[in-house]
Amino acid sequence: MKRKHLRTLELIFARPVSANIRWSDIEALFRELGAELEEREGSRIEVFLFGLVRVFHRPHPSPDTDKGAVAAIRKWLEENGVKP
């Protein structure tokens, strides 16, 4: 895994939950892990990873991901054995 993706993963697992992770970095991490991403209606994005589908809301106008989404992503990754 590239250093940039590892850094994003570390931010996702940081305590307390970080509120300054760029969504584009999370999307890049998903792709690195083998995910397929598909645009949905509005600003939603579908992520197919670990044989599961999750739908996330792409943040706007700020590029930063909110804490609730980061916590949900952390839980999903952790449940599937992905840790920094």
Side-chain angles (χ1 to χ4, degrees), residues 4-48:
K4 177 181 178 179
H5 303 305
L6 185 57
R7 177 70 182 135
T8 302
L9 192 59
E10 289 169 350
L11 285 172
I12 291 170
F13 279 85
R15 300 276 187 186
V17 177
S18 179
N20 62 350
I21 304 172
R22 297 182 64 86
W23 179 254
S24 59
D25 292 342
I26 292 175
E27 283 187 20
L29 174 64
F30 285 154
R31 285 188 183 95
E32 177 71 15
L33 294 172
E36 294 177 26
L37 282 67
E38 185 176 316
E39 298 291 327
R40 300 287 297 264
E41 57 280 339
S43 56
R44 290 175 186 82
I45 186 162
E46 179 180 279
V47 180
F48 181 74

Side-chain angles (χ1 to χ4, degrees), residues 34-79:
E36 294 177 26
L37 282 67
E38 185 176 316
E39 298 291 327
R40 300 287 297 264
E41 57 280 339
S43 56
R44 290 175 186 82
I45 186 162
E46 179 180 279
V47 180
F48 181 74
L49 182 62
F50 311 121
L52 302 168
V53 174
R54 294 287 192 268
V55 177
F56 296 99
H57 184 267
R58 184 178 282 140
H60 60 83
S62 170
D64 296 333
T65 310
D66 67 67
K67 291 181 179 185
V70 172
I73 292 167
R74 175 192 318 160
K75 182 178 178 190
W76 188 36
L77 293 175
E78 200 168 36
E79 288 172 348

